[in-house]
Amino acid sequence: MSFVTYECKGAYGIITMNRPEALNALDSSVLDDLSSALDEVDLDTVRCLIITGAGEKSFVAGADIKEMAGLSKAEGAAFGKKGNDIFRRIETLPIPVIAAVNGFALGGGCELSMSCDFRICSDNAVFGQPEVGLGITPGFGGTQRLARLIGMGYAKQMIYTARNIKADEALRIGLVNQVVPQADLMATAEKLAAGIAKNAPIAVRQCKKAINEGLDLDMDKAIELEETLFGECFETHDQVEGMTAFMEKRKEKNFTNN
Ligand code: CAA
């Protein structure tokens, strides 16, 4: 039985972390299952992905503390690499990934949400990096992505104090884009995914690449990257279709990812 399920809903897909007895905590099996779920996503047809947690209490309550408790230094590093490799795969997936955070997003859970393109959450969501209280550092990208997302000052405060924050504070500091009642979370995420899926997939993918890769470059190089990716959109079916539809005052567009 898998701890992670994948459901394809036409132009978008939903990955659900499903280990409710441990609040969807990430042990090695869950990480393997997450990797397998990603393998299932057909990147030729699926245009946006949502990652959420099963139940109404937890997105992911972190890496599995019971599994980590007895690890050696080498095993700890290998476990960090296992999580990092999968989260980096999510971050660099060609299509956008939305985290629909439905409760606790602690440690590895906050880190999983940060490997997604953006986050929306339910009003009961709780974010935090509690690792220093357990005698470790964040290990699935938290020291790197949190500072890039919310700035160094807030990131250091959250990580050094190990203090959890509620949805309203996460919204205020820019960790999430939107807070909605729990009952509306998936409908909101699916509406966002469907809206993204309506746009030219080639262009959306090029935007993800431009933003992700451009942030690591100086502005001159970043602008060059944008020029290249912008240029590559031309002569594609989707560029011709998008601009022809505008000129014909036509709302319906037949984007094909070609
Ligand atoms: N690892 C393993 N098991 C976990 C877990 C985790 N991260 N989080 C919750 N569980 C388990 C609990 O042990 C419990 O199992 P048992 O019934 O067998 O005891 C079950 O899930 C339900 O949890 P609680 O009874 O604790 O539920 P609660 O509502 O009282 O508390 C909570 C919820 C505040 C999230 C609490 O479970 C908690 O603090 N969990 C740990 C959060 C945490 O520290 N996460 C960071 C882990 S370190 C990390 O992630 C490192 C990294 O960067 C890679």
Side-chain angles (χ1 to χ4, degrees), residues 235-253:
E235 298 180 63
T236 63
H237 167 275
D238 287 354
Q239 176 254 329
V240 174
E241 169 66 5
M243 294 192 182
T244 305
F246 172 80
M247 291 183 290
E248 291 175 352
K249 302 191 186 302
R250 169 160 59 80
K251 271 226 163 82
E252 285 313 308
K253 294 169 207 164

Side-chain angles (χ1 to χ4, degrees), residues 4 32 36 61 100 114 122:
V4 181
D32 286 337
S36 303
M114 290 191 292
S122 53

Side-chain angles (χ1 to χ4, degrees), residues 19-27 31 57-58 60-68 79-80 83-84 87 104-111 126 128-134 136-143 164:
R19 191 191 173 207
E21 65 279 10
L23 303 183
N24 305 327
L26 305 167
D27 66 9
L31 289 172
K57 189 168 172 184
S58 185
V60 166
D64 192 296
I65 299 168
K66 293 165 193 168
E67 178 173 341
M68 286 187 296
F79 188 59
N84 272 333
F87 288 11
F104 291 115
L106 302 176
C110 188
E111 292 167 311
V126 176
Q129 296 290 161
E131 287 86 350
V132 295
L134 296 162
I136 55 172
T137 66
F140 293 167
T143 58
N164 294 341

Side-chain angles (χ1 to χ4, degrees), residues 109-125:
C110 188
E111 292 167 311
L112 173 60
S113 79
M114 290 191 292
S115 71
C116 300
D117 288 271
F118 59 87
R119 290 138 293 287
I120 64 169
C121 74
S122 53
D123 44 14
N124 67 327

Side-chain angles (χ1 to χ4, degrees), residues 82-93:
K82 190 177 176 84
N84 272 333
D85 286 350
I86 296 170
F87 288 11
R88 184 74 180 134
R89 184 172 166 205
I90 293 169
E91 187 169 48
T92 58
L93 210 66

Side-chain angles (χ1 to χ4, degrees), residues 8 23 46 54 75-76 104 107 109 111 141-142 149 176 183 206 230 241 244:
C8 179
L23 303 183
V46 173
E75 288 165 342
F104 291 115
E111 292 167 311
L149 261 174
V176 296
Q206 298 286 80
F230 175 70
E241 169 66 5
T244 305

